[in-house]
Amino acid sequence: MVEVELPIIDLSIERSEVSKLIVKTCSGIGFFKVINHGVPEDVIARMEEESLGFFAKPAPEKQRAGPANPYGYGSKTIGFNGDVGEVEYLLIGTHSHFISQASKTISNDPLKFRYQYSYHM
């Protein structure tokens, strides 16, 4: 296994420089970590908890939140070199009506999810 250092994008630097770094990183490795984004750690922890709960659900329950068109749940088979697997994703919009509807299929506690997500936005 080859180890790759995860690039870090610092949002506190000049915006045009941030844009260049994101384009460069996405053209290469395709993944990066964002720092100095202003989202409180407790909000991140609560959203991570919600996402772990969502992705632990059985496939039929997760599929109720999809398809990702443009928002919702999706999954794709990936890998061409013997590393075949599946990647799952959940794309969430920011409009309050979308959050109100989506929270019913995303979370076991829709009210809590809407509150946490709205606080973040």
Side-chain angles (χ1 to χ4, degrees), residues 40-56:
E41 290 295 322
D42 63 317
V43 173
I44 294 170
R46 289 192 306 264
M47 292 308 292
E48 285 177 348
E49 181 182 323
E50 285 289 335
S51 66
L52 288 171
F54 175 79
F55 287 107

Side-chain angles (χ1 to χ4, degrees), residues 27-108:
S27 298
I29 188 172
F31 296 93
F32 55 90
K33 177 180 180 176
V34 177
I35 61 171
N36 296 319
H37 44 65
V39 180
E41 290 295 322
D42 63 317
V43 173
I44 294 170
R46 289 192 306 264
M47 292 308 292
E48 285 177 348
E49 181 182 323
E50 285 289 335
S51 66
L52 288 171
F54 175 79
F55 287 107
K57 292 180 178 185
E61 286 186 48
K62 291 184 280 195
Q63 290 167 350
R64 289 178 45 219
N69 185 24
Y71 304 113
Y73 169 77
S75 63
K76 302 252 184 225
T77 300
I78 59 170
F80 299 105
N81 301 314
D83 57 347
V84 176
E86 191 168 282
V87 63
E88 296 180 289
Y89 54 93
L90 181 63
L91 304 174
I92 302 175
T94 58
H95 191 274
S96 61
H97 178 72
F98 172 82
I99 298 303
S100 178
Q101 294 303 308
S103 65
K104 296 172 188 172
T105 57
I106 292 172
S107 179
N108 292 330

